[in-house]
Amino acid sequence: MKSALVTGASSGFGRACVKALIEEGFRVVALARRKERLETLKSEFKEKIHTLNLDVRNQEEVFEAIENLPREFKDLEILLNNAGLALEQKEFDNLSLDDINTMVDTNIKGFLYIARAVIPLLRKQKSAYIFNIGSVAARNPYFGGNVYCGTKAFVGQFSLALRNDLRGSNIKVTNIAPGLCKTEFSEVRFKGDKQKADALYENTQFLSAEDIAKVFIALIKLPSHINVNEIELMPVTQTWNGFFIEKFNEA
Ligand code: NDP
Ligand code: 8X3
């Protein structure tokens, strides 16, 4: 049976993709920090799931856990490198150093630890597939996006560059860059302020985590010779807001 590893499996895109992969006949290694959420997945999917309760920022734990995967989960063919977060939406110079570090350490460094630990396993397969979760924020700077936008731009460029390094390996790489999608993302960003988070999704149509999972599964099912480098998706209700132009007040 084919295996996949999904980071950020306790919520949102990750959890929806775990379920979709299992429906497609994969065994899944599900990684996240919240143990109780992982236990719920384990009790639902039993032997089809192996849970890794860890923080992607912990370099040592990441490498140790992946090195010691049970034999029946070690033949990884798919990596969904998805765990990530935004914190706050305010001017960079008002952002705390803790928040800056958490975003960089999770979205860039933790993301790289996972890729670095898993790619040697993917290389052992006849073919394999790496999905990185970027964002529309990578190419569309918005007020207060600063560090988060930068981390997702990193994911996008790293994904493209990685394809060069993997040439000849039969490992595909796709950067999936979603727009507005209702998950726990905004609650995390606004640090539990549910009202502020909900306001973003009020009176509009947003993407769901299941929508992302559908796109993910459709990509997996493409013919083996096609590599989709990047895919950006938004709800139809979302477009761009254009440039902001400062107007001087006349005296
Ligand atoms: P959620 O907040 O619902 O899920 C985030 C997941 O990441 C959780 O499972 C969380 O698990 C995990 N995670 C966060 N930090 C860590 C860590 N240090 N170690 C391990 N796991 C971690 O948000 P989404 O599903 O929306 O987000 C998934 C990805 O999609 C993120 O990279 C996000 O930036 C990106 N994205 C989201 C969009 C949106 O509008 N929702 C749009 C574009 C991109 P736990 O807390 O249990 O560790
Ligand atoms: C999440 C989408 O626009 O809130 O990556 O940054 S956005």
Side-chain angles (χ1 to χ4, degrees):
M1 197 189 269
K2 302 164 286 183
S3 298
L5 186 144
V6 176
T7 69
S10 60
S11 170
F13 303 169
R15 186 169 54 194
C17 290
V18 166
K19 294 184 177 181
L21 281 164
I22 287 174
E23 273 169 28
E24 292 295 326
F26 283 84
R27 280 182 204 272
V28 179
V29 180
L31 183 154
R33 291 167 301 177
R34 280 170 291 179
K35 199 171 177 200
E36 59 301 348
R37 296 277 186 102
L38 294 176
E39 279 166 1
T40 306
L41 280 174
K42 180 79 192 163
S43 60
E44 193 175 348
F45 297 114
K46 315 228 162 26
E47 75 290 342
K48 291 177 186 151
I49 278 225
H50 177 69
T51 59
L52 292 182
N53 176 212
L54 58 84
D55 187 324
V56 294
R57 290 171 294 175
N58 190 324
Q59 181 185 325
E60 214 172 300
E61 280 186 18
V62 165
F63 281 86
E64 199 187 311
I66 289 169
E67 176 75 36
N68 294 311
L69 283 176
R71 197 167 36 86
E72 61 276 25
F73 287 89
K74 219 167 179 171
D75 284 340
L76 289 176
E77 288 184 5
I78 290 181
L79 166 63
L80 174 58
N81 208 347
N82 158 75
L85 79 175
L87 290 171
E88 304 286 7
Q89 192 174 344
K90 53 187 177 191
E91 302 91 325
F92 174 66
D93 47 322
N94 282 326
L95 204 55
S96 75
L97 285 169
D98 274 354
D99 287 347
I100 293 170
N101 284 330
T102 302
M103 285 187 274
V104 171
D105 290 348
T106 308
N107 300 1
I108 299 182
K109 291 178 71 182
F111 164 86
L112 289 176
Y113 299 153
I114 292 290
R116 183 63 187 79
V118 170
I119 289 173
L121 296 179
L122 300 180
R123 278 195 187 272
K124 292 183 180 162
Q125 306 301 321
K126 263 208 315 248
S127 63
Y129 205 151
I130 299 170
F131 292 89
N132 295 325
I133 300 294
S135 168
V136 294
R139 267 202 287 250
N140 302 282
Y142 55 85
F143 179 84
N146 44 69
V147 174
Y148 180 70
C149 292
T151 64
K152 291 302 183 180
F154 175 88
V155 170
Q157 193 63 5
F158 173 77
S159 302
L160 296 178
L162 185 62
R163 287 214 57 227
N164 290 318
D165 299 356
L166 294 174
R167 63 174 66 132
S169 67
N170 228 5
I171 302 178
K172 297 187 189 190
V173 184
T174 298
N175 171 34
I176 302 182
L180 187 73
C181 184
K182 191 171 183 194
T183 59
E184 290 173 9
F185 177 83
S186 293
E187 263 184 82
V188 171
R189 171 171 238 170
F190 300 124
K191 302 187 168 165
D193 185 339
K194 204 166 162 4
Q195 235 182 343
K196 199 167 168 184
D198 286 348
L200 190 63
Y201 309 107
E202 244 166 45
N203 299 322
T204 194
Q205 176 66 61
F206 40 78
L207 297 176
S208 68
E210 288 69 30
D211 292 331
I212 305 300
K214 276 185 199 138
V215 172
F216 168 63
I217 296 295
L219 287 165
I220 292 175
K221 290 183 172 174
L222 284 177
S224 61
H225 64 286
I226 301 175
N227 192 97
V228 175
N229 300 330
E230 299 183 292
I231 180 163
E232 191 179 89
L233 58 148
M234 288 171 164
V236 177
T237 51
Q238 184 177 26
T239 57
W240 302 267
N241 205 17
F243 288 107
F244 172 78
I245 312 230
E246 187 180 0
K247 300 286 187 187
F248 303 118
N249 289 330
E250 287 182 11

